Amino acid sequence: MTTIADRVRQARLAAGLSQTALAGDSFSPSYISLIEAGRREPTDSALTVLAQRLGSTVEYLKHGDDGPNEARARLEIDYAKLDLSAGEPAGARTRISAIDLTSVTNAVRVEALMTLARAHEALGDLESAVAILEPLLDDARARSHNLDSAAIATGLVASYLEGGDMHRAVEVGERILNELEAGGMSGTDEHLRLASTVLWAYVERGDLLYATHRAAELVRQAEALGSPRGRGSVYWNAALVAEQRRDYPLAQRYTERALALLGEGELGRDLPRLRLNYAWLLLRSEPAEPHEALRQLDRALPDLLVIGSEIELSRVDVERSRAHLVLGDLDVAEASAREALRRLGDQPRLETAVAQLALGDALHAREDVAGAARAYRWAADMLGMMSATRQSAAAWRELGDRFLGHGDVAGAAHAFDRALREAGFRPTVPATLREAWTAAAG
């Protein structure tokens, strides 16, 4: 059981204040010392001043976590997190919005607002998520709360990544990483998690060479200083970088290390998502390992059914389709691809184009050439409606291979051209000359 003395001292240390700084002009340092020694009981008026300076509340200093406002707020935050895990972000947003954040400590306020930002992000409202996290990060930095800064910055970088603002993601992430390193926090879980998130921002921005260099640095740092969970996070993100370079053997080794480090922890998205990614790699290794891929998918599915999104579940169906295609189970391959498309609906998504590719492959294997061609055309139409990313470039590249295999040279040329453009390679021949060549070829 903590006392007022314990809570004042803990809050002061967390705020990075000396006894003299906490005393200010209102008290003497010796009075603060007596309070923290348990030899003086502060009045409510004194606690009001102390709470304001400590970023706390009178209720918390008097009662700790057992105070009614604090306990009620923490309970609502826990329920909101359960809502998020269950795929109900609207419920989480409603719960957090109902909390009176003026009556709780700064630590609870930060946790509540970060949970609210996650709910907005899950609902696709990235602007609201950023509007919460930017001032929250400024406040944490002003208070020199490095742990809060790291956690908030990780969420903010992820929001900018999701929104496509890679430059801002890198800018925010690097600034906080520098502050963490200056504060002696290199190699901590918070530092490694943020660094791993920034690493993916470099990949998305197209700085693949630097991302590869940075991933190797992070692996060395994690091995020397990190906890198992921090190291697992680094290995996972290093595997994603290796994937982008199409170095699948290295990506597979990194993923296996991440799986070994993360283990069978509490229910969360990390482990089943990692297993799903591992299955993806196993189907692209030489030779492919469809049986082990299906085993990983079977282990990931129960958790994803509880906490995963329809997009993640559609990825399970697509990879299951590909595994059964390799094994020659064509009925299951086609059915799995169609189930992925059913989950995704009609909204234009990269995942829908990928599922159409899987369906086309299954139909082609069944010698349904016309059906396969329709699926590939659907994939092309879907990709044509989306903005350019490295992932869409890879999908166009795969689609070009399919068109070429079907003898559709024009379709293949168009798909390969789109792949190059979306990977950042622009035409060097003037448009008028290209038109003249096309006319001459016609």
Side-chain angles (χ1 to χ4, degrees), residues 232-308:
S233 176
V234 167
Y235 274 114
W236 186 0
N237 282 276
L240 295 174
V241 174
E243 276 180 32
Q244 290 296 309
R245 295 173 52 228
R246 296 186 179 272
D247 188 346
Y248 295 138
L250 179 60
Q252 187 170 332
R253 289 198 298 274
Y254 278 156
T255 304
E256 288 166 354
R257 292 295 303 275
L259 279 170
L261 288 163
L262 293 175
E264 302 287 352
E266 61 182 284
L267 185 65
R269 286 191 179 183
D270 282 358
L271 193 58
R273 286 172 62 201
L274 188 54
R275 292 196 183 285
L276 174 54
N277 198 64
Y278 189 37
W280 188 94
L281 285 167
L282 289 167
L283 292 171
R284 286 154 183 80
S285 62
E286 292 291 344
E289 300 180 49
H291 290 293
E292 180 60 22
L294 287 171
R295 192 175 78 86
Q296 293 296 331
L297 293 172
D298 287 341
R299 297 183 71 181
L301 185 59
D303 286 347
L304 290 176
L305 285 170
V306 176
I307 59 175

Side-chain angles (χ1 to χ4, degrees), residues 328-349:
D329 302 330
L330 304 186
D331 288 345
V332 180
E334 180 183 346
S336 296
R338 292 192 185 279
E339 177 62 14
L341 289 167
R342 183 197 65 77
R343 289 186 187 279
L344 292 165
D346 297 328
Q347 186 174 351
R349 297 179 187 275

Side-chain angles (χ1 to χ4, degrees), residues 76-158:
E76 286 300 312
I77 293 170
D78 288 341
Y79 277 128
K81 289 179 178 179
L82 286 174
D83 285 339
L84 286 172
S85 295
E88 300 176 7
R93 181 180 59 185
T94 300
R95 286 187 184 278
I96 299 297
S97 298
I99 299 174
D100 179 7
L101 296 180
T102 64
S103 64
V104 297
T105 58
N106 188 64
V108 172
R109 174 178 169 274
V110 169
E111 188 175 3
L113 289 174
M114 287 182 64
T115 305
L116 180 59
R118 284 179 55 202
H120 282 304
E121 183 180 358
L123 290 165
D125 187 359
L126 296 173
E127 289 185 2
S128 292
V130 168
I132 290 170
L133 294 173
E134 281 281 10
L136 204 58
L137 180 59
D138 289 341
D139 183 63
R141 295 179 67 216
R143 295 172 182 270
S144 298
H145 286 188
N146 285 336
L147 290 177
D148 282 350
S149 293
I152 296 164
T154 299
L156 187 55
V157 169

Side-chain angles (χ1 to χ4, degrees), residues 353-354 356-357 374-384 396 399:
V354 172
Q356 288 285 2
L357 281 174
R374 282 194 301 272
Y376 296 148
R377 284 293 169 191
W378 268 107
D381 291 342
M382 195 67 65
L383 286 171
W396 275 114
L399 190 55

